[in-house]
Amino acid sequence: MSRTLTYREALNDALREELDRDQRVLLLGEDIGAFDGAFRVTKGLLADYGEERVRDTPSAPGTIVGMGVGAAIVGLRPVVELMTITAALRALDQIAVSAAQARFQSGGQLSVPLVLRAPQGGGHQLGPTHSHSLEAMLLAIPGLLVATPSTPADAKGLLKSAIRSDDPVFVIEHESLYGTKGEIPEGEHLVPFGEAVVRRPGRDLTILGISRGALTALDAADVLEREHGVSAEVVDPRTLRPLDLPTILESVKRTNRLLIVEEGWPQGGVGATIAALVLEQAFDFLDGPVLRVAGAEAPVGYSRVLERAAQASSREVAQAALTALGR
Amino acid sequence: MSRTLTYREALNDALREELDRDQRVLLLGEDIGAFDGAFRVTKGLLADYGEERVRDTPSAPGTIVGMGVGAAIVGLRPVVELMTITAALRALDQIAVSAAQARFQSGGQLSVPLVLRAPQGGGHQLGPTHSHSLEAMLLAIPGLLVATPSTPADAKGLLKSAIRSDDPVFVIEHESLYGTKGEIPEGEHLVPFGEAVVRRPGRDLTILGISRGALTALDAADVLEREHGVSAEVVDPRTLRPLDLPTILESVKRTNRLLIVEEGWPQGGVGATIAALVLEQAFDFLDGPVLRVAGAEAPVGYSRVLERAAQASSREVAQAALTALGR
Amino acid sequence: MQLLRRFDERAGELYGAGQIGGFLHLAIGEEAAIVGATRALEDRDWLLTTFRAHAHALARGSEPARVMAELFGRVGGLCHGRAGAMHLTDVERRFLGGFGMVGGHLPIAAGAALASTYQGRAEVTMAILGDGASGNGVFGESLGLAAKWNLPVVLVIVRALGGYATEGDAAAASADLQRQVEGLGVKALTCNGMDVVDTQAVCADAVRIARTERRPVLVQAPTLRAPTPSPTAPRAAGDREQIAAWKARDPLALFGDRLVEVGLVESADRARLQMQVGAVIEQAVSFAGRSPHPEPEALYEHVLAPGGSGEAWRGFDLRGTSRRAEAGPHPREASK
Amino acid sequence: MQLLRRFDERAGELYGAGQIGGFLHLAIGEEAAIVGATRALEDRDWLLTTFRAHAHALARGSEPARVMAELFGRVGGLCHGRAGAMHLTDVERRFLGGFGMVGGHLPIAAGAALASTYQGRAEVTMAILGDGASGNGVFGESLGLAAKWNLPVVLVIVRALGGYATEGDAAAASADLQRQVEGLGVKALTCNGMDVVDTQAVCADAVRIARTERRPVLVQAPTLRAPTPSPTAPRAAGDREQIAAWKARDPLALFGDRLVEVGLVESADRARLQMQVGAVIEQAVSFAGRSPHPEPEALYEHVLAPGGSGEAWRGFDLRGTSRRAEAGPHPREASK
Ligand SMILES: Cc1ncc(C[n+]2csc(CCOP(=O)(O)OP(=O)(O)O)c2C)c(N)n1
Ligand SMILES: Cc1ncc(C[n+]2csc(CCOP(=O)(O)OP(=O)(O)O)c2C)c(N)n1
Ligand SMILES: [Mg+2]
Ligand SMILES: [Mg+2]
């Protein structure tokens, strides 16, 4: 049995279930209450759970995250929404130091079961300050778990697992996926961290897609099959820390070729990291270089044309795959 | 003709020369005046240039950087010192958005000739909040130039070039290098951005060292020569954006092996980025995987032992080199 | 004001029609505050504002056609389609833009004032912000340092009730906020943000104080924004009463009526003005519609300074092998 | 106070001797403020402080031996050598630590108070800070939200003159700062930070108000820190006059004399107390010296929660191939 929900509804579902299950869970964020959240993810939660548990905050990212850290240390399980991932840049000291290092600094005395949520990426011309993709910066931080759900089912299952995690977690949502629909298993649906999924089996090469990149990879795989008779395997890591490297390596050792699709900036990116890891651990299995199709080395422009130019398109991914195959 | 100066003195020299040369240059930062700067880099500048040009600020990183951006846009060439690179995490929205995107967002109407300076890295047991190495996070940001001087001469030459750049630049100094001595050419000494230097020629493999990693690589090269008869070429990129990829590729195409040494976190790191770039562009020249010796996937502990364990040591680099050579 | 109003109404329609994308924050109801504040500035002064930038650009005198073209994301836009409504910039008019991050422009405004002062020019920098931005720490940090360094900055808080986002007690000027900033050594004034004459007078006073006394001044301008559900559905909505309540305070109607009352304007002139404005806007729309879309490659322009050493970088792998631009000049050449 | 003083003096020596590393921010001169403030708390209350953390840990009752061992970076330290003086934590005493980033602990304190209130416990959270931290935006952000949400937080600003870092007008309590926070709806008090009795009384009052009225309270405690050049050369320095001036206000001397005057303590007892304290500190030093250094591998402990799915990550490439730990369990197993 399953239901069809949007990514947005799936997240709302996850929050409701965890709010029902665990009194320690409470939500903090700008306009998450009366306004239902900038992207309507917290729709109806203020009415149903009250202002003790669903708290509207001012636009002060550092302080909101810091309060989440303090509340988590003293026994709660706060879920903090930031209106845009760019706001996380203002709170990065609280994220990278207070949240991610408290356990370490205290020699294990403190625990920070905090969840941060924010939308990233482009798609609706939000322009240079509301279209960043920052998974790589967050992945860099030891002590911080990072999830990048690309489907409604994963959005629900990963957010629920995140809320139950004793480590701080950043759940990176994608601004242009909120409206996408998908099947959600009935009842308790948890997606464990560190478990990649093969979205489409294939023989000729592996395409690894991060966040929305997983969907771009699937589209590209269709094009490759239809127009070029190429069989591409599509892998979605789903969480970046922990990263399910074994599943990625298994796939690469079969197909001997890897292409990584991400929307973030190419330098210091997730693609570069995984390319380096695979290179180090499966060099002898690689028939060619690991290729990356990343976001542009530029801010995301407002115009539809410039926004698209800043993102990885399925056409480009298909083209890169053919390059990888020496075609 | 040349003089011997410490890294700290070389930076002070660069600031003085540019303050003398260009009235538009002024300095902002916490305790850079009366206190001579937390690491004494701005020693004597308040006395010699006055409080109009050497300005002590409160501990408000975001606002200090933002003021630097505004002052740069309206015609000055501010040099902002942050006491520790970790403070940059509090100002990252001003760095990545205001400073690095203003030119783009305005369609080229605005220019931000701003220099940011901060010490990073470990060495004196400053503990988990004052020992970060964040060059990778800064490298990720398009529109921001990044310099990582490892010698007094480069510290001076790169800082002077940075102050004359029309792009915002982050000059990443290393906390444990301030006291190191080196020869500085007399007179005007500018080091251009995007020009790597081969610190030591070699045949058997290339070791690329970032920031202090370049010195660690040199020590490792000595060990390799002395104890194993291995001839390692040591390359110091000096600037990460722009990156002198041609020089790196030339070297790798000769030695066919690459090892990268950095102090930052391994995931989303500079090493991973360069490994991916080299893999993409010189795959057929590689006799083995590009190896990385990075900082630990952990915060930097306070204890001397834990601090050392978090950093790349020359022994480990030498060991990794032997691994790369299949020895 | 007429211009801002009709422009916003038209933009709202075009947003609905998909001609304009992203977030479009309308300023219907804020016209008196915006026009009054910006009219208090001289040409040599600098202006910064929030994501609600297109209205401020118009008020500062930017060409409606180039503003509309920017909203269309076209080459003819002030920022060639890079900025959209939230990040509009027009440096010729010393309008430093449109800032998407709430409060992010406040330290930049202080820095601009520092540059003017440092260079011995008696320019004032004005930053317009919403009440929400005063909840962010940069507000106090920037004002505090501006006071300490005697910087001529004028912050105008448009306290808008109605519409998107955490409102605080936006309805009226806040006595608490006044105490806070006075504690920082900042002069605080209040005006009626629904009355363009009063707003202009008070802001002119603020600008004078900032310019002559070299100190930051805060002006609180309470306004009532037309009921708008959100920046993604910007056309005026809300129930009958809300709209009626707002109409009763509509700053344009009030100002217009007053001009007629005191005999400064004939109702006939008023009608003519409206027609002229309508014509200007239609010209702007057609200019925007005719302006070409940018080329995809344009994305890489203006990322780094032309001729700067950074440009060499462009030659090397901008987005992974498959996207690599043609290898440019060796950095060694480029950085010379 | 004796304990803090002798501990700091000894730590300063050991720092000079290279037994203690990093930055060591001494609290000589702040003893009355620190002891007075912390004595105002009950055991159930929470305490957070700055990088000047070892003195606060001692005041909160942490074992001197385990504090000294932490300064030595040994396994016997409260944080097993990970924290050093700046990040000391002792959760058993509800001392949440030592925060290296100026002001970084203020929102965390507000969050702790939120958790207590949410869970229906009448605990108060106290955060001690320096005057410098009040210049950062998180100060106002945290107090503002604490006031809005009725959170029982007490912030004690030790306005220390002398020593490292931007002082502001640290000498005296700031009337401006009082206006600022009152504008945020915060109750503001002042005490004599050189007088432990007065500090204790005022802070107890602040704690009572926070606990019963459920609101944030700010206490300004002006102090005179012993002349110390910097945290990297922490032993008291400064010229003769400075030192003499400071000695004349030494909070320990004053309090001790007073106790003797009012006959509460015989000078003999005073001498005995000093001897006892001296003995405790020597025991602490020898415990620290005997405690082993951590193993290098310990670096990877406490990075992520034990048994959490994150641990699986440890199996894969922690720092590049050459450093790779033995491949751990497959995440699929670990995350079950
Ligand atoms: C740092 C940051 N967080 C969140 C947002 C999303 N956001 C866009 S508009 C807005 C409301 C701001 O309210 P206010 O400052 O009062 O301006 P108004 O909308 O009233 O003009 C917010 C929070 C943002 N732009 N920047
Ligand atoms: C965000 C940040 N910037 C800079 C520093 C470096 N720093 C260490 S101590 C200190 C001085 C802080 O002064 P104050 O808050 O008054 O504390 P005091 O030293 O007076 O106790 C600074 C700036 C830091 N720890 N954190
Ligand atoms: Mg508002
Ligand atoms: Mg101080």
Side-chain angles (χ1 to χ4, degrees):
Chain A
M1 269 303 293
S2 75
R3 292 172 305 147
T4 305
L5 292 182
T6 61
Y7 189 93
R8 168 185 288 114
E9 291 162 342
L11 290 163
N12 186 276
D13 237 30
L15 293 171
R16 287 177 181 277
E17 288 180 13
E18 296 305 303
L19 281 161
D20 291 335
R21 196 184 62 83
D22 187 345
Q23 264 298 322
R24 296 170 303 173
V25 176
L26 82 169
L27 316 184
L28 307 179
E30 250 175 286
D31 296 324
I32 62 171
F35 193 70
D36 287 339
F39 292 93
R40 308 290 187 278
V41 170
T42 51
K43 189 157 192 224
L45 298 183
L46 174 59
D48 297 349
Y49 296 92
E51 52 188 24
E52 267 297 298
R53 302 187 72 187
V54 180
R55 293 171 172 261
D56 274 320
T57 68
S59 181
T63 286
I64 300 164
V65 172
M67 285 186 76
V69 172
I73 287 173
V74 178
L76 303 186
R77 293 191 166 258
V79 179
V80 174
E81 171 178 304
L82 296 172
M83 268 199 189
T84 160
I85 197 129
T86 307
L89 293 176
R90 230 181 242 188
L92 212 57
D93 67 314
Q94 288 293 346
I95 296 170
V97 180
S98 303
Q101 293 190 172
R103 176 182 298 277
F104 178 90
Q105 278 175 213
S106 64
Q109 293 180 74
L110 303 181
S111 181
V112 186
L114 169 69
V115 175
L116 304 171
R117 298 176 37 241
Q120 78 168 20
H124 294 104
Q125 290 183 256
L126 300 189
T129 61
H130 286 63
S131 308
H132 289 107
S133 294
L134 302 178
E135 60 267 60
M137 281 191 187
L138 297 169
L139 167 62
I141 300 164
L144 180 69
L145 304 189
V146 180
T148 52
S150 68
T151 68
D154 285 352
K156 177 174 181 178
L158 288 170
L159 178 53
K160 280 169 66 77
S161 296
I163 292 171
R164 301 183 190 191
S165 164
D166 289 334
D167 290 309
V169 181
F170 206 120
V171 177
I172 301 176
E173 300 163 8
H174 197 293
E175 181 262 316
S176 74
L177 294 182
Y178 284 122
T180 58
K181 289 198 172 62
E183 294 298 294
I184 316 259
E186 280 294 351
E188 187 80 312
H189 172 60
L190 290 166
V191 173
F193 275 47
E195 192 167 317
V197 59
V198 175
R199 296 241 178 252
R200 170 190 176 126
R203 293 179 314 279
D204 303 336
L205 87 160
T206 301
I207 307 181
L208 187 76
I210 315 296
S211 182
R212 182 172 67 167
L215 306 186
T216 313
L218 282 171
D219 295 343
D222 290 339
V223 174
L224 287 164
E225 178 113 85
R226 229 184 18 256
E227 303 178 12
H228 308 278
V230 169
S231 160
E233 177 151 301
V234 175
V235 179
D236 180 349
R238 303 202 286 188
T239 62
L240 302 180
R241 178 176 291 105
L243 178 73
D244 181 359
L245 200 54
T247 296
I248 297 167
L249 291 173
E250 278 163 27
S251 176
V252 172
K253 287 176 180 176
R254 262 189 293 101
T255 64
N256 310 112
R257 288 192 164 76
L258 177 61
L259 169 64
I260 302 165
V261 183
E262 66 187 317
E263 208 171 302
W265 292 315
Q267 315 312 330
V270 174
T273 298
I274 294 176
L277 291 172
V278 169
L279 175 62
E280 286 160 357
Q281 302 184 29
F283 182 74
D284 300 335
F285 293 88
L286 288 173
D287 289 350
V290 176
L291 300 189
R292 299 174 291 150
V293 178
E297 172 84 357
V300 179
Y302 161 77
S303 112
R304 193 176 290 105
V305 176
L306 296 179
E307 183 181 50
R308 261 199 237 102
Q311 298 162 0
S313 75
S314 54
R315 283 268 147 220
E316 289 168 303
V317 173
Q319 189 46 55
L322 295 175
T323 309
L325 292 162
R327 304 250 217 116
Chain B
M1 267 304 292
S2 74
R3 290 172 308 147
T4 304
L5 292 181
T6 62
Y7 189 92
R8 168 184 289 117
E9 292 162 341
L11 290 163
N12 186 275
D13 237 30
L15 293 171
R16 287 176 180 278
E17 288 180 12
E18 296 305 303
L19 281 162
D20 291 335
R21 196 184 61 84
D22 187 346
Q23 264 298 322
R24 298 170 303 172
V25 176
L26 81 169
L27 316 184
L28 307 178
E30 253 174 282
D31 296 323
I32 62 170
F35 193 70
D36 286 339
F39 292 93
R40 308 294 188 274
V41 170
T42 52
K43 188 159 190 214
L45 298 183
L46 174 60
D48 297 348
Y49 296 91
E51 51 188 25
E52 267 297 300
R53 301 188 72 187
V54 180
R55 294 172 171 259
D56 274 320
T57 69
S59 180
T63 286
I64 300 166
V65 172
M67 285 185 75
V69 172
I73 288 174
V74 178
L76 303 186
R77 294 191 165 258
V79 180
V80 174
E81 170 177 303
L82 296 172
M83 269 201 189
T84 159
I85 196 129
T86 308
L89 293 176
R90 233 181 239 185
L92 212 57
D93 67 315
Q94 289 293 346
I95 296 170
V97 180
S98 304
Q101 293 190 170
R103 176 182 298 277
F104 178 90
Q105 280 175 211
S106 65
Q109 294 179 74
L110 304 180
S111 181
V112 185
L114 169 69
V115 176
L116 304 171
R117 296 177 39 241
Q120 79 168 18
H124 295 104
Q125 290 182 258
L126 301 189
T129 62
H130 286 62
S131 307
H132 290 106
S133 295
L134 302 178
E135 60 266 57
M137 282 191 187
L138 297 169
L139 167 63
I141 301 164
L144 180 70
L145 304 189
V146 180
T148 52
S150 67
T151 68
D154 285 352
K156 177 175 181 178
L158 289 170
L159 179 53
K160 281 169 66 78
S161 297
I163 293 171
R164 301 184 190 191
S165 164
D166 289 334
D167 290 309
V169 182
F170 205 121
V171 177
I172 301 176
E173 301 164 7
H174 197 292
E175 180 263 317
S176 72
L177 294 183
Y178 285 121
T180 58
K181 289 200 172 61
E183 294 297 295
I184 316 261
E186 280 294 351
E188 187 78 312
H189 172 60
L190 290 165
V191 174
F193 275 48
E195 194 166 318
V197 60
V198 175
R199 295 242 178 253
R200 171 189 175 124
R203 292 179 315 279
D204 302 337
L205 87 160
T206 301
I207 307 181
L208 187 77
I210 315 296
S211 182
R212 182 173 67 168
L215 306 188
T216 312
L218 282 172
D219 295 343
D222 289 339
V223 174
L224 287 164
E225 178 112 84
R226 229 184 18 254
E227 303 178 13
H228 308 278
V230 170
S231 159
E233 177 151 303
V234 175
V235 179
D236 179 349
R238 304 202 287 188
T239 62
L240 302 180
R241 177 177 291 104
L243 178 72
D244 181 0
L245 200 53
T247 296
I248 296 168
L249 291 173
E250 278 163 27
S251 177
V252 172
K253 287 177 181 177
R254 262 189 292 100
T255 64
N256 310 112
R257 288 194 163 75
L258 177 60
L259 170 63
I260 303 165
V261 183
E262 66 187 319
E263 208 171 301
W265 292 315
Q267 315 312 330
V270 174
T273 298
I274 294 176
L277 291 172
V278 169
L279 175 62
E280 286 159 358
Q281 301 183 31
F283 182 73
D284 299 336
F285 294 87
L286 288 173
D287 289 350
V290 175
L291 300 189
R292 298 174 292 150
V293 177
E297 173 84 357
V300 178
Y302 161 78
S303 111
R304 193 176 292 105
V305 175
L306 296 178
E307 182 180 51
R308 261 200 237 100
Q311 298 164 359
S313 75
S314 54
R315 284 266 148 222
E316 289 168 303
V317 173
Q319 188 47 54
L322 295 174
T323 309
L325 292 161
R327 305 250 217 113
Chain C
M1 290 204 286
Q2 279 289 345
L3 178 66
L4 271 64
R5 172 66 54 86
R6 305 294 161 235
F7 190 98
D8 260 11
E9 289 171 345
R10 195 75 170 89
E13 288 165 24
L14 292 160
Y15 187 91
Q19 282 281 20
I20 296 173
F23 285 147
L24 181 64
H25 302 82
L26 298 188
I28 296 179
E30 293 189 14
E31 294 92 348
I34 294 171
V35 172
T38 49
R39 283 286 183 283
L41 295 174
E42 299 177 10
D43 290 350
R44 59 176 169 170
D45 297 328
W46 303 90
L47 176 68
L48 296 82
T49 187
T50 66
F51 38 84
R52 210 173 290 279
H54 62 282
H56 299 85
L58 292 172
R60 185 64 172 158
S62 298
E63 284 175 45
R66 299 207 59 199
V67 174
M68 187 62 83
E70 187 60 38
L71 269 54
F72 274 51
R74 306 302 176 90
V75 171
L78 278 164
C79 305
H80 318 306
R82 283 172 175 70
M86 293 201 288
H87 310 104
L88 262 167
T89 303
D90 187 353
V91 77
E92 264 183 44
R93 292 179 177 68
R94 299 204 157 188
F95 175 53
L96 295 180
F99 288 80
M101 294 286 95
V102 169
H105 59 315
L106 304 180
I108 297 172
L114 171 62
S116 298
T117 307
Y118 182 92
Q119 295 168 98
R121 300 192 304 258
E123 303 152 357
V124 169
T125 299
M126 175 185 284
I128 296 176
L129 57 145
D131 53 288
S134 61
N136 189 280
V138 293
F139 175 76
E141 288 177 354
S142 304
L143 278 176
L145 204 47
K148 197 170 166 197
W149 289 355
N150 304 310
L151 302 178
V153 194
V154 173
L155 299 193
V156 179
I157 299 193
V158 176
R159 303 189 66 85
L161 191 61
Y164 178 55
T166 320
E167 293 307 327
D169 322 327
S174 158
D176 285 349
L177 188 65
Q178 174 146 354
R179 297 193 68 169
Q180 279 172 52
V181 302
E182 282 171 355
L184 292 165
V186 175
K187 173 96 179 153
L189 307 174
T190 299
C191 68
N192 173 1
M194 299 302 271
D195 178 341
V196 66
V197 178
D198 184 60
T199 303
Q200 202 274 351
V202 173
C203 289
D205 206 31
V207 169
R208 183 187 50 71
I209 293 168
R211 200 187 310 274
T212 55
E213 299 178 23
R214 292 259 160 127
R215 56 183 294 199
V217 184
L218 176 77
V219 179
Q220 297 195 63
T223 65
L224 183 64
R225 198 147 56 211
T228 318
S230 93
T232 50
R235 299 187 59 186
D239 57 36
R240 267 198 178 52
E241 296 78 63
Q242 286 176 306
I243 294 176
W246 179 77
K247 282 231 162 75
R249 293 189 52 194
D250 180 348
L252 264 69
L254 299 180
F255 183 58
D257 298 347
R258 191 142 120 231
L259 289 179
V260 176
E261 276 166 28
V262 299
L264 267 174
V265 174
E266 305 282 323
S267 359
D269 306 341
R270 198 168 167 185
R272 197 173 320 105
L273 171 66
Q274 295 194 5
M275 276 178 54
Q276 288 164 352
V277 168
V280 169
I281 286 166
E282 288 322 309
Q283 282 156 20
V285 172
S286 72
F287 170 85
R290 280 182 281 101
S291 179
H293 287 279
E295 293 300 319
E297 296 67 37
L299 181 71
Y300 298 101
E301 285 165 25
H302 304 309
V303 175
L304 291 165
S309 62
E311 279 217 319
W313 175 263
R314 280 214 48 205
F316 308 100
D317 195 287
L318 296 177
R319 51 197 309 183
T321 298
S322 70
R323 305 279 198 90
R324 184 158 78 259
E326 279 320 293
H330 184 293
R332 205 159 287 132
E333 271 47 66
S335 61
K336 288 272 158 62
Chain D
M1 290 204 287
Q2 280 288 344
L3 178 65
L4 272 63
R5 171 66 55 86
R6 303 295 161 236
F7 189 99
D8 260 12
E9 290 172 345
R10 195 76 168 88
E13 288 166 22
L14 292 159
Y15 186 90
Q19 282 282 18
I20 297 173
F23 285 146
L24 181 63
H25 303 81
L26 298 188
I28 296 178
E30 294 189 13
E31 294 92 349
I34 294 171
V35 171
T38 49
R39 283 284 184 284
L41 295 173
E42 299 176 12
D43 290 349
R44 60 177 170 169
D45 298 327
W46 302 89
L47 176 68
L48 296 83
T49 187
T50 67
F51 38 85
R52 210 172 290 278
H54 62 281
H56 299 85
L58 292 172
R60 186 63 173 159
S62 299
E63 284 174 44
R66 300 207 58 199
V67 174
M68 188 62 83
E70 188 60 38
L71 269 53
F72 275 51
R74 306 301 177 91
V75 170
L78 279 164
C79 306
H80 319 306
R82 284 172 174 70
M86 292 201 290
H87 310 104
L88 262 167
T89 303
D90 188 353
V91 77
E92 264 182 43
R93 290 174 179 73
R94 299 206 156 186
F95 176 54
L96 295 180
F99 288 80
M101 294 286 94
V102 170
H105 59 314
L106 304 180
I108 296 173
L114 170 62
S116 298
T117 307
Y118 181 92
Q119 294 169 96
R121 300 193 306 257
E123 303 153 357
V124 169
T125 300
M126 175 184 284
I128 297 176
L129 57 144
D131 54 288
S134 61
N136 189 280
V138 292
F139 175 76
E141 288 177 355
S142 304
L143 277 176
L145 205 47
K148 197 170 167 197
W149 289 356
N150 304 309
L151 302 178
V153 194
V154 173
L155 299 193
V156 179
I157 299 194
V158 176
R159 305 189 64 86
L161 192 63
Y164 179 54
T166 319
E167 293 307 325
D169 322 327
S174 157
D176 285 349
L177 189 65
Q178 173 146 354
R179 296 193 69 167
Q180 281 172 51
V181 302
E182 284 171 353
L184 291 165
V186 175
K187 174 96 179 151
L189 307 174
T190 300
C191 68
N192 174 0
M194 299 303 270
D195 178 342
V196 66
V197 178
D198 184 60
T199 303
Q200 201 276 349
V202 173
C203 289
D205 205 31
V207 169
R208 183 187 50 72
I209 293 168
R211 201 187 309 277
T212 55
E213 299 177 23
R214 293 259 161 127
R215 58 182 292 197
V217 183
L218 176 77
V219 179
Q220 298 195 64
T223 65
L224 183 64
R225 199 149 53 210
T228 319
S230 93
T232 49
R235 297 188 59 187
D239 57 37
R240 267 199 176 53
E241 297 79 65
Q242 285 177 309
I243 294 176
W246 179 77
K247 281 229 162 76
R249 295 189 50 193
D250 179 350
L252 263 69
L254 299 180
F255 183 58
D257 298 347
R258 190 140 120 232
L259 289 179
V260 177
E261 276 166 28
V262 298
L264 266 174
V265 173
E266 305 281 323
S267 356
D269 307 341
R270 199 169 167 186
R272 197 174 318 105
L273 172 66
Q274 296 194 1
M275 277 179 52
Q276 288 164 353
V277 168
V280 169
I281 286 165
E282 287 322 307
Q283 282 156 20
V285 172
S286 72
F287 170 84
R290 279 181 281 103
S291 178
H293 287 280
E295 294 299 319
E297 296 67 37
L299 180 72
Y300 297 101
E301 285 164 24
H302 304 308
V303 175
L304 291 164
S309 62
E311 278 218 319
W313 174 265
R314 279 215 48 204
F316 308 100
D317 196 290
L318 296 177
R319 52 198 309 184
T321 299
S322 71
R323 304 280 197 89
R324 186 159 76 259
E326 279 321 291
H330 185 293
R332 206 160 286 133
E333 270 48 69
S335 61
K336 286 272 161 60

